[in-house]
């Protein structure tokens, strides 16, 4: 088991196994997405045919395009109620996979403002995963985030 000082997002497209996050066990399978915040202890045991995308990023990197701590609005990064796992349908997996591919293309091609594009795709992935995780509670959750932002100003 180990922890990181950065964020980790894993999208599994093939294979299976177990992923332990803060000593809780999760099944690894196609369509599984794991979002690990800095400091969370995790360990995985995966089959040899595992495939997908893994992405590492820091808060500093993500925040370059935002004026305030935008990461706290996502349910995966709440200190007391974090949800490090999302199970996607085949269609949702394809949808999220496209954004990973777009980020990879931006990084490989390194065109003008490619880092900004990568952060925009990352933000889009986090919004989509939040919607999948929260379902109909998304609007209520967004309202609560606005209250948190208002309290930060006071």
């Amino acid at each position: 088991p180990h922890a990181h000082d950065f964020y980790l997002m894993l999208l599994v497209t093939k294979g299976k196994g177990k992923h332990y996050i803060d000593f809780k066990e999760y099944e690894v399978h196609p369509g599984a997405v794991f979002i690990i915040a800095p400091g969370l202890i995790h360990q995985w045991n995966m089959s040899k045919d595992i495939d997908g995308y893994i992405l590492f990023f820091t808060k500093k990197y993500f925040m370059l395009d935002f004026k305030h701590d935008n990461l706290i609005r996502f349910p995966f990064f709440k200190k007391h109620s974090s949800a490090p796992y999302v199970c996607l349908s085949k269609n949702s997996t394809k949808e999220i996979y496209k954004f990973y591919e777009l980020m990879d293309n931006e990084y490989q091609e390194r065109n003008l403002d490619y880092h900004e594009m990568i952060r925009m795709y990352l933000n889009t992935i986090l919004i989509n995963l939040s919607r999948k995780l929260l379902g109909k509670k998304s609007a209520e959750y967004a309202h609560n985030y606005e209250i948190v932002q208002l309290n930060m100003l006071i």
Side-chain angles (χ1 to χ4, degrees), residues 60-125:
K60 183 178 178 181
Y61 178 79
F62 185 82
M63 295 299 297
L64 289 173
D65 292 318
F66 301 99
K67 293 181 182 173
H68 49 79
D69 189 353
N70 213 22
L71 285 170
I72 63 169
R73 72 187 173 129
F74 298 112
F76 329 107
F77 307 133
K78 296 289 182 202
K79 290 187 183 205
H80 302 293
S81 62
S82 67
Y85 168 76
V86 180
C87 181
L88 300 175
S89 67
K90 282 187 178 184
N91 287 339
S92 294
T93 301
K94 289 178 187 176
E95 178 184 318
I96 298 297
Y97 185 81
K98 286 180 194 175
F99 289 108
Y100 271 96
E101 287 182 324
L102 288 167
M103 282 193 292
D104 188 46
N105 288 339
E106 286 291 335
Y107 183 76
Q108 298 300 327
E109 293 177 14
R110 297 178 188 234
N111 290 321
L112 177 67
D113 295 328
Y114 73 97
H115 277 292
E116 187 174 342
M117 291 297 294
I118 289 171
R119 286 189 292 274
M120 292 303 111
Y121 291 136
L122 173 57
N123 191 49
T124 302
I125 288 173

Side-chain angles (χ1 to χ4, degrees), residues 132-150:
K132 306 280 186 236
L133 180 67
L134 297 170
K136 293 183 179 183
K137 294 188 233 174
S138 295
E140 177 184 322
Y141 193 85
H143 175 72
N144 289 339
Y145 172 70
E146 290 168 1
I147 291 171
V148 167
Q149 290 300 306
L150 181 60

Side-chain angles (χ1 to χ4, degrees), residues 3-87:
H4 304 280
D5 62 353
F6 50 82
Y7 294 89
L8 178 154
M9 279 191 356
L10 170 67
L11 169 65
V12 179
T13 58
K14 180 181 174 189
K16 61 183 178 178
K18 304 277 185 200
H19 194 175
Y20 302 91
I21 304 169
D22 272 357
F23 308 103
K24 184 174 179 184
E25 181 180 295
Y26 297 90
E27 290 293 323
V28 174
H29 55 82
V33 180
F34 298 95
I35 306 104
I36 312 296
L40 286 181
I41 297 169
H42 77 112
Q43 172 184 347
W44 50 46
N45 182 9
M46 301 196 196
S47 61
K48 293 184 187 232
D49 66 338
I50 199 74
D51 199 10
Y53 272 105
I54 191 164
L55 175 70
F56 305 109
F57 65 96
T58 63
K59 180 177 181 175
K60 183 178 178 181
Y61 178 79
F62 185 82
M63 295 299 297
L64 289 173
D65 292 318
F66 301 99
K67 293 181 182 173
H68 49 79
D69 189 353
N70 213 22
L71 285 170
I72 63 169
R73 72 187 173 129
F74 298 112
F76 329 107
F77 307 133
K78 296 289 182 202
K79 290 187 183 205
H80 302 293
S81 62
S82 67
Y85 168 76
V86 180
C87 181

